[in-house]
Amino acid sequence: MEKNVFTFCMLLIATMLFSQEHKVPQLSKDNIKEIIASMTQEEKVFMVMGNFNNEWKKYIGVGSTWQSKKHGISAVLLDDGPAGLRLKPKRENDLKTYYCTAFPTATALAATWNTELIENAGKAIGNEVLEYGSDVLLAPAVNIHRNPLNGRNFEYYSEDPILSGKIGAAMVRGVQSNGVGTSVKHFAANNQESNRKGVNAIISQRALREIYLRSFEIVVKESKPWTIMSSYNRINGFYAAENRDLLKTILRNEWGFNGVVMSDWVSGDDAVAQMKAGNDIIMPGYPTDYAQYHYDELLSALKDNTLDEKTIDQNIERILKLVTITPRFNNYKYSSTPDLKSHAIISQESANEAMVLLKNNGILPLKKAKNIALFGKTSYDFIAGGTGSGEVNYEHAVSLKEGLENGGFKIEKQLENFYMNFVDSVFTNCKTIKKYAVVNHPEIPLHKSEIQKQVNKTDVAIITIGRISGEGYDRDEKDYFGLTDVEKQLISDVCEAFHAANKKVIVVLNIGGVIETNSWKNLPDAILLAWQTGQQGGAAVNEILKGKLNPSGKLPMSYPMTYADVPSSKTFPGVPVINPVNSFYNEGVYVGYRFYDTFKVLTSYEFGFGLSYTNFGYSDIKVSSTTFNGYVDVSVIVKNTGKIPGKEVAQLYLSAPKSKIDKPEKELKGFVKTKLLKPGETQQITFKIDAKLLASFWSGESCWIADKGVYDVFVGSSSKDIRQKTSFDVASDIKVEQLHDAMYPNFAIKDLGTVSKTTLGNRSHFTRHHILYYDFQWYEKQKIE
Ligand code: BGC
């Protein structure tokens, strides 16, 4: 059907509906079934599709659900994203500009390891959602950092599912405390951008349950998000949005999720399969070309009964339940004037705690330094966040130069002019988006003689290394992970010149994820991982360098020595390498530190690592019982043994007894960020360990089993810096949860293992027809038998 015919039909329907308005029931919390019964099939199809062409699209919303004036159904407005609300700053016929607060990117938020702080940040973000008239925030995103080159890792929290899940749950609680919703995304196994709309992630059931689904499970169970967004990719053969095992068996039946599932924007293939799988809304809907196709497909399936009307009714029931709890349905009068000043403070508090001090040979905090030689283009155009739907339209971001100047430092003028001229010329010559022109431009080389001139004029050198990434593409090893020759030269020349004069050098990393550090980290005197920490990033770095604040961030992922050490480096992004069709997760559960620790691969900086300006002592570890009886409490005392106040992240790792299946050397099972401890002050911390935390998922049996034997408990300051040890015993195997045999891999896949290799693969019930029905072309290409 042509677009204009479609529009005409829409108008006709709308007019008919409007004229009948008085005859039909109006939506309330109590008459949802009655409303559905009064809908025509055409109306039903509209209800399960998004509406991108709504009346608010000019300034807010990357989409919405349909409204029906006839039934009194208001639209649900949906907006990105993980680092704050992505509002369009300009509105038609309005001279004002509307901004939102840019918070640290998700990875940086996770580096705080502070769930209370994240909940607070969530409250502020949710307040902007509410006050700008939206209903559901399309965030948080809790996919796992499987590989450092994934373009969207900055939108995700961690390589560890427990950390991702707990931080994600805190964010959901915070946002939803405003009476607006969240959409936890991208469900599931969306770990790369290369061919993101088609790639098939082939993952063993165990790795899915323990790693890739686990973060979502924690968020769903602990914070009850209003909605979930299914991901673009396929998992074990089926698109996530068409995956009944994923959306019904696991999400709804096993985890008890009763909200709405929406697709990612233009995903999946078969609209009927999406409905049957329990993907309630197909986004973004009209006016994309797909929408017309989906509309026709759904309507004819209803007419010829290949789609049972009861199925779509169930989807609509969930959508209408969502409608009735939104601010828009309940006539909330939004102000469009959220308190951006107080939110900026919360953004900075989050940035302050996100900073990870990787190296400090005593130079920090800066005591006497006043004059700074500020090297690196990004120092002058500091990166607040990544690109794509994770972006936020903030009014102003504090650059590092500005942050340092506001903090009373003096930036050497000649060097500043050199870089500012460069920045200006990049802006002037930029034909596309200016915002990222400088960071995307290669670093500018600086002659040794220019560096030498700085040595006499300044007290200390700071070099910023910047990296950006975003939705739609992965980065390659050379341009993202590795330092360029110019960057390496800059670090080594500046270090050589300053060290010769007995002056110090600090490197600030303004990056979204992981880069190579091992080859150059011995050169500077200090390295501060400042991430992309939102609009207050430069201000937060200043506080840390000056020592107004004590760094307390810890790495939410490992920093490997080389890219080749990454367990998925050989299989990422899949086969073929360009536009991959299949991505084999051969490393199984050995993602990040689970791999490095078990296979004794050295890292440059380990998971959970981060220095402080003070020291912490750990003592008095106790278990509530040495025999596990439903749960065990582990307590420990953390003491600030240094000279200045600080916060510590106490991390609890468990090592399970040897068993018939592989076990990582140890796994994170709990973490607590202390309050600000004064010198000499102590805090007792208690971790609760339940049976699920002991268990591994046995693919063959489809259950979580906690093996009998001795569990070693490690509590420490990082995954390597273990300070206290104890253990407890499990008398006999515990079958913690019997689940469904769901999401079987459609290809043979061998999980990496230490004790035994489990071969999974094409099972008789996964028939040729099964594969053909869903994906004929892919089947043909791959010649699966
Ligand atoms: C992204 C989602 C986002 C949506 C709406 C998609 O391209 O994958 O994360 O929420 O667009 O902007």
Side-chain angles (χ1 to χ4, degrees), residues 455-486:
V455 178
N456 301 332
K457 291 195 263 180
T458 57
D459 306 316
V460 65
I462 298 179
I463 308 168
T464 303
I465 301 292
R467 286 286 182 283
I468 199 156
S469 68
E471 186 175 342
Y473 59 101
D474 291 320
R475 301 305 305 249
D476 67 46
E477 185 188 344
K478 204 160 165 285
D479 79 359
Y480 190 83
F481 186 79
L483 259 55
T484 64
D485 291 344
V486 175

mmCIF file of all heavy atoms in Angstrom, residues 455-486:
data_model
loop_
_atom_site.group_PDB
_atom_site.id
_atom_site.type_symbol
_atom_site.label_atom_id
_atom_site.label_comp_id
_atom_site.label_asym_id
_atom_site.label_seq_id
_atom_site.Cartn_x
_atom_site.Cartn_y
_atom_site.Cartn_z
ATOM 1 N N VAL A 455 58.564 22.905 29.575
ATOM 2 C CA VAL A 455 59.153 22.376 30.815
ATOM 3 C C VAL A 455 59.512 23.505 31.781
ATOM 4 O O VAL A 455 59.195 23.438 32.971
ATOM 5 C CB VAL A 455 60.398 21.522 30.493
ATOM 6 C CG1 VAL A 455 61.048 21.010 31.767
ATOM 7 C CG2 VAL A 455 60.011 20.357 29.602
ATOM 8 N N ASN A 456 60.126 24.558 31.254
ATOM 9 C CA ASN A 456 60.556 25.642 32.141
ATOM 10 C C ASN A 456 59.392 26.491 32.637
ATOM 11 O O ASN A 456 59.459 27.098 33.696
ATOM 12 C CB ASN A 456 61.563 26.544 31.419
ATOM 13 C CG ASN A 456 62.760 25.737 30.973
ATOM 14 O OD1 ASN A 456 63.086 24.722 31.607
ATOM 15 N ND2 ASN A 456 63.392 26.148 29.877
ATOM 16 N N LYS A 457 58.345 26.529 31.837
ATOM 17 C CA LYS A 457 57.243 27.443 32.173
ATOM 18 C C LYS A 457 56.202 26.836 33.108
ATOM 19 O O LYS A 457 55.310 27.534 33.583
ATOM 20 C CB LYS A 457 56.540 27.873 30.880
ATOM 21 C CG LYS A 457 57.391 28.783 30.005
ATOM 22 C CD LYS A 457 56.548 29.454 28.953
ATOM 23 C CE LYS A 457 56.622 28.712 27.641
ATOM 24 N NZ LYS A 457 55.840 29.296 26.585
ATOM 25 N N THR A 458 56.235 25.509 33.308
ATOM 26 C CA THR A 458 55.139 24.875 34.066
ATOM 27 C C THR A 458 55.670 23.946 35.158
ATOM 28 O O THR A 458 56.853 23.599 35.182
ATOM 29 C CB THR A 458 54.254 24.038 33.105
ATOM 30 O OG1 THR A 458 55.096 23.080 32.459
ATOM 31 C CG2 THR A 458 53.568 24.904 32.079
ATOM 32 N N ASP A 459 54.742 23.563 36.059
ATOM 33 C CA ASP A 459 55.134 22.697 37.177
ATOM 34 C C ASP A 459 54.900 21.216 36.867
ATOM 35 O O ASP A 459 55.535 20.332 37.425
ATOM 36 C CB ASP A 459 54.291 23.032 38.416
ATOM 37 C CG ASP A 459 54.374 24.514 38.755
ATOM 38 O OD1 ASP A 459 55.490 25.056 38.720
ATOM 39 O OD2 ASP A 459 53.323 25.125 39.039
ATOM 40 N N VAL A 460 53.905 20.962 36.031
ATOM 41 C CA VAL A 460 53.510 19.576 35.792
ATOM 42 C C VAL A 460 52.870 19.471 34.405
ATOM 43 O O VAL A 460 52.330 20.465 33.909
ATOM 44 C CB VAL A 460 52.534 19.100 36.914
ATOM 45 C CG1 VAL A 460 51.225 19.859 36.886
ATOM 46 C CG2 VAL A 460 52.269 17.617 36.861
ATOM 47 N N ALA A 461 52.950 18.281 33.808
ATOM 48 C CA ALA A 461 52.302 18.083 32.502
ATOM 49 C C ALA A 461 51.116 17.133 32.650
ATOM 50 O O ALA A 461 51.189 16.151 33.399
ATOM 51 C CB ALA A 461 53.308 17.491 31.516
ATOM 52 N N ILE A 462 50.059 17.469 31.934
ATOM 53 C CA ILE A 462 48.916 16.543 31.850
ATOM 54 C C ILE A 462 48.680 16.263 30.373
ATOM 55 O O ILE A 462 48.637 17.181 29.551
ATOM 56 C CB ILE A 462 47.639 17.158 32.479
ATOM 57 C CG1 ILE A 462 47.857 17.427 33.965
ATOM 58 C CG2 ILE A 462 46.441 16.241 32.258
ATOM 59 C CD1 ILE A 462 46.666 18.063 34.670
ATOM 60 N N ILE A 463 48.552 14.979 30.044
ATOM 61 C CA ILE A 463 48.259 14.598 28.647
ATOM 62 C C ILE A 463 46.917 13.880 28.645
ATOM 63 O O ILE A 463 46.722 12.924 29.412
ATOM 64 C CB ILE A 463 49.307 13.600 28.099
ATOM 65 C CG1 ILE A 463 50.725 14.121 28.318
ATOM 66 C CG2 ILE A 463 49.038 13.289 26.629
ATOM 67 C CD1 ILE A 463 51.801 13.061 28.074
ATOM 68 N N THR A 464 46.010 14.305 27.786
ATOM 69 C CA THR A 464 44.734 13.590 27.681
ATOM 70 C C THR A 464 44.724 12.746 26.414
ATOM 71 O O THR A 464 45.087 13.215 25.334
ATOM 72 C CB THR A 464 43.546 14.566 27.645
ATOM 73 O OG1 THR A 464 43.606 15.377 28.806
ATOM 74 C CG2 THR A 464 42.222 13.831 27.615
ATOM 75 N N ILE A 465 44.302 11.496 26.593
ATOM 76 C CA ILE A 465 44.093 10.588 25.453
ATOM 77 C C ILE A 465 42.580 10.381 25.342
ATOM 78 O O ILE A 465 41.936 10.004 26.327
ATOM 79 C CB ILE A 465 44.783 9.228 25.690
ATOM 80 C CG1 ILE A 465 46.297 9.392 25.903
ATOM 81 C CG2 ILE A 465 44.484 8.240 24.555
ATOM 82 C CD1 ILE A 465 47.078 9.846 24.700
ATOM 83 N N GLY A 466 42.011 10.643 24.173
ATOM 84 C CA GLY A 466 40.554 10.531 24.007
ATOM 85 C C GLY A 466 40.169 9.435 23.034
ATOM 86 O O GLY A 466 40.907 9.129 22.095
ATOM 87 N N ARG A 467 39.026 8.843 23.283
ATOM 88 C CA ARG A 467 38.474 7.824 22.372
ATOM 89 C C ARG A 467 36.964 7.959 22.388
ATOM 90 O O ARG A 467 36.368 8.180 23.442
ATOM 91 C CB ARG A 467 38.781 6.406 22.861
ATOM 92 C CG ARG A 467 40.206 5.949 22.687
ATOM 93 C CD ARG A 467 40.503 5.634 21.220
ATOM 94 N NE ARG A 467 41.863 5.159 21.057
ATOM 95 C CZ ARG A 467 42.940 5.938 21.067
ATOM 96 N NH1 ARG A 467 42.830 7.232 21.259
ATOM 97 N NH2 ARG A 467 44.150 5.420 20.899
ATOM 98 N N ILE A 468 36.352 7.761 21.240
ATOM 99 C CA ILE A 468 34.886 7.754 21.221
ATOM 100 C C ILE A 468 34.397 6.558 20.413
ATOM 101 O O ILE A 468 35.114 6.042 19.546
ATOM 102 C CB ILE A 468 34.332 9.078 20.645
ATOM 103 C CG1 ILE A 468 32.883 9.242 21.054
ATOM 104 C CG2 ILE A 468 34.508 9.155 19.128
ATOM 105 C CD1 ILE A 468 32.416 10.655 21.077
ATOM 106 N N SER A 469 33.206 6.122 20.712
ATOM 107 C CA SER A 469 32.604 5.065 19.911
ATOM 108 C C SER A 469 31.098 5.279 19.969
ATOM 109 O O SER A 469 30.624 6.180 20.661
ATOM 110 C CB SER A 469 32.989 3.689 20.459
ATOM 111 O OG SER A 469 32.389 3.493 21.708
ATOM 112 N N GLY A 470 30.370 4.469 19.248
ATOM 113 C CA GLY A 470 28.932 4.685 19.243
ATOM 114 C C GLY A 470 28.182 3.601 18.524
ATOM 115 O O GLY A 470 28.748 2.646 17.985
ATOM 116 N N GLU A 471 26.881 3.807 18.522
ATOM 117 C CA GLU A 471 25.954 2.843 17.951
ATOM 118 C C GLU A 471 26.190 2.649 16.448
ATOM 119 O O GLU A 471 26.496 3.594 15.741
ATOM 120 C CB GLU A 471 24.561 3.415 18.184
ATOM 121 C CG GLU A 471 23.464 2.520 17.789
ATOM 122 C CD GLU A 471 22.115 3.121 18.174
ATOM 123 O OE1 GLU A 471 22.064 4.033 19.009
ATOM 124 O OE2 GLU A 471 21.122 2.634 17.618
ATOM 125 N N GLY A 472 26.041 1.427 16.007
ATOM 126 C CA GLY A 472 26.049 1.167 14.565
ATOM 127 C C GLY A 472 27.355 0.621 14.035
ATOM 128 O O GLY A 472 27.405 0.139 12.914
ATOM 129 N N TYR A 473 28.411 0.719 14.801
ATOM 130 C CA TYR A 473 29.684 0.179 14.308
ATOM 131 C C TYR A 473 30.577 -0.240 15.470
ATOM 132 O O TYR A 473 30.523 0.343 16.551
ATOM 133 C CB TYR A 473 30.415 1.197 13.428
ATOM 134 C CG TYR A 473 30.735 2.497 14.135
ATOM 135 C CD1 TYR A 473 32.010 2.747 14.623
ATOM 136 C CD2 TYR A 473 29.759 3.470 14.348
ATOM 137 C CE1 TYR A 473 32.302 3.931 15.287
ATOM 138 C CE2 TYR A 473 30.039 4.656 15.007
ATOM 139 C CZ TYR A 473 31.307 4.883 15.479
ATOM 140 O OH TYR A 473 31.591 6.040 16.151
ATOM 141 N N ASP A 474 31.391 -1.253 15.223
ATOM 142 C CA ASP A 474 32.399 -1.642 16.207
ATOM 143 C C ASP A 474 33.676 -0.917 15.871
ATOM 144 O O ASP A 474 33.837 -0.390 14.765
ATOM 145 C CB ASP A 474 32.614 -3.160 16.175
ATOM 146 C CG ASP A 474 31.397 -3.902 16.696
ATOM 147 O OD1 ASP A 474 30.794 -3.431 17.677
ATOM 148 O OD2 ASP A 474 31.045 -4.952 16.116
ATOM 149 N N ARG A 475 34.594 -0.881 16.799
ATOM 150 C CA ARG A 475 35.874 -0.223 16.557
ATOM 151 C C ARG A 475 36.892 -1.285 16.172
ATOM 152 O O ARG A 475 36.711 -2.465 16.457
ATOM 153 C CB ARG A 475 36.338 0.506 17.820
ATOM 154 C CG ARG A 475 35.383 1.550 18.324
ATOM 155 C CD ARG A 475 35.016 2.606 17.296
ATOM 156 N NE ARG A 475 36.149 3.271 16.715
ATOM 157 C CZ ARG A 475 36.480 4.542 16.914
ATOM 158 N NH1 ARG A 475 35.735 5.300 17.692
ATOM 159 N NH2 ARG A 475 37.536 5.084 16.334
ATOM 160 N N ASP A 476 37.983 -0.870 15.509
ATOM 161 C CA ASP A 476 38.976 -1.898 15.271
ATOM 162 C C ASP A 476 40.129 -1.746 16.253
ATOM 163 O O ASP A 476 40.270 -0.725 16.932
ATOM 164 C CB ASP A 476 39.404 -1.994 13.806
ATOM 165 C CG ASP A 476 40.150 -0.784 13.332
ATOM 166 O OD1 ASP A 476 41.058 -0.331 14.053
ATOM 167 O OD2 ASP A 476 39.807 -0.309 12.256
ATOM 168 N N GLU A 477 40.905 -2.808 16.286
ATOM 169 C CA GLU A 477 41.960 -2.893 17.295
ATOM 170 C C GLU A 477 42.897 -1.696 17.204
ATOM 171 O O GLU A 477 43.295 -1.117 18.203
ATOM 172 C CB GLU A 477 42.722 -4.206 17.083
ATOM 173 C CG GLU A 477 43.753 -4.462 18.128
ATOM 174 C CD GLU A 477 44.621 -5.658 17.790
ATOM 175 O OE1 GLU A 477 44.245 -6.453 16.926
ATOM 176 O OE2 GLU A 477 45.691 -5.777 18.416
ATOM 177 N N LYS A 478 43.224 -1.326 15.958
ATOM 178 C CA LYS A 478 44.242 -0.294 15.755
ATOM 179 C C LYS A 478 43.733 1.093 16.138
ATOM 180 O O LYS A 478 44.397 1.832 16.852
ATOM 181 C CB LYS A 478 44.663 -0.316 14.279
ATOM 182 C CG LYS A 478 46.029 0.235 14.053
ATOM 183 C CD LYS A 478 46.570 -0.251 12.712
ATOM 184 C CE LYS A 478 47.777 0.585 12.332
ATOM 185 N NZ LYS A 478 47.393 1.910 11.860
ATOM 186 N N ASP A 479 42.526 1.438 15.703
ATOM 187 C CA ASP A 479 42.100 2.823 15.914
ATOM 188 C C ASP A 479 41.459 3.049 17.277
ATOM 189 O O ASP A 479 41.279 4.181 17.694
ATOM 190 C CB ASP A 479 41.167 3.305 14.784
ATOM 191 C CG ASP A 479 39.736 2.821 14.938
ATOM 192 O OD1 ASP A 479 39.448 2.093 15.892
ATOM 193 O OD2 ASP A 479 38.894 3.160 14.099
ATOM 194 N N TYR A 480 41.103 1.990 17.966
ATOM 195 C CA TYR A 480 40.438 2.207 19.254
ATOM 196 C C TYR A 480 41.248 1.656 20.422
ATOM 197 O O TYR A 480 41.540 2.356 21.372
ATOM 198 C CB TYR A 480 39.056 1.559 19.252
ATOM 199 C CG TYR A 480 38.246 1.960 20.473
ATOM 200 C CD1 TYR A 480 37.543 3.159 20.476
ATOM 201 C CD2 TYR A 480 38.192 1.161 21.606
ATOM 202 C CE1 TYR A 480 36.820 3.562 21.587
ATOM 203 C CE2 TYR A 480 37.469 1.557 22.724
ATOM 204 C CZ TYR A 480 36.782 2.749 22.709
ATOM 205 O OH TYR A 480 36.061 3.142 23.809
ATOM 206 N N PHE A 481 41.609 0.397 20.311
ATOM 207 C CA PHE A 481 42.278 -0.261 21.440
ATOM 208 C C PHE A 481 43.706 0.236 21.587
ATOM 209 O O PHE A 481 44.166 0.571 22.668
ATOM 210 C CB PHE A 481 42.242 -1.779 21.231
ATOM 211 C CG PHE A 481 42.769 -2.548 22.401
ATOM 212 C CD1 PHE A 481 41.975 -2.751 23.517
ATOM 213 C CD2 PHE A 481 44.061 -3.062 22.396
ATOM 214 C CE1 PHE A 481 42.457 -3.451 24.607
ATOM 215 C CE2 PHE A 481 44.550 -3.758 23.483
ATOM 216 C CZ PHE A 481 43.747 -3.959 24.589
ATOM 217 N N GLY A 482 44.430 0.278 20.464
ATOM 218 C CA GLY A 482 45.839 0.670 20.524
ATOM 219 C C GLY A 482 46.008 2.182 20.515
ATOM 220 O O GLY A 482 45.142 2.915 20.053
ATOM 221 N N LEU A 483 47.135 2.641 21.040
ATOM 222 C CA LEU A 483 47.462 4.059 20.920
ATOM 223 C C LEU A 483 48.076 4.287 19.544
ATOM 224 O O LEU A 483 48.788 3.427 19.026
ATOM 225 C CB LEU A 483 48.465 4.466 22.009
ATOM 226 C CG LEU A 483 47.876 5.195 23.216
ATOM 227 C CD1 LEU A 483 46.767 4.398 23.854
ATOM 228 C CD2 LEU A 483 48.945 5.528 24.228
ATOM 229 N N THR A 484 47.833 5.455 18.963
ATOM 230 C CA THR A 484 48.441 5.753 17.661
ATOM 231 C C THR A 484 49.910 6.100 17.889
ATOM 232 O O THR A 484 50.325 6.413 19.017
ATOM 233 C CB THR A 484 47.753 6.948 16.981
ATOM 234 O OG1 THR A 484 47.971 8.104 17.804
ATOM 235 C CG2 THR A 484 46.274 6.711 16.795
ATOM 236 N N ASP A 485 50.676 6.098 16.806
ATOM 237 C CA ASP A 485 52.097 6.443 16.927
ATOM 238 C C ASP A 485 52.266 7.850 17.483
ATOM 239 O O ASP A 485 53.153 8.106 18.295
ATOM 240 C CB ASP A 485 52.779 6.340 15.553
ATOM 241 C CG ASP A 485 52.852 4.891 15.096
ATOM 242 O OD1 ASP A 485 52.663 3.998 15.956
ATOM 243 O OD2 ASP A 485 53.069 4.652 13.895
ATOM 244 N N VAL A 486 51.403 8.758 17.037
ATOM 245 C CA VAL A 486 51.521 10.151 17.516
ATOM 246 C C VAL A 486 51.248 10.219 19.022
ATOM 247 O O VAL A 486 51.950 10.907 19.772
ATOM 248 C CB VAL A 486 50.553 11.083 16.730
ATOM 249 C CG1 VAL A 486 50.579 12.496 17.289
ATOM 250 C CG2 VAL A 486 50.906 11.078 15.258
#
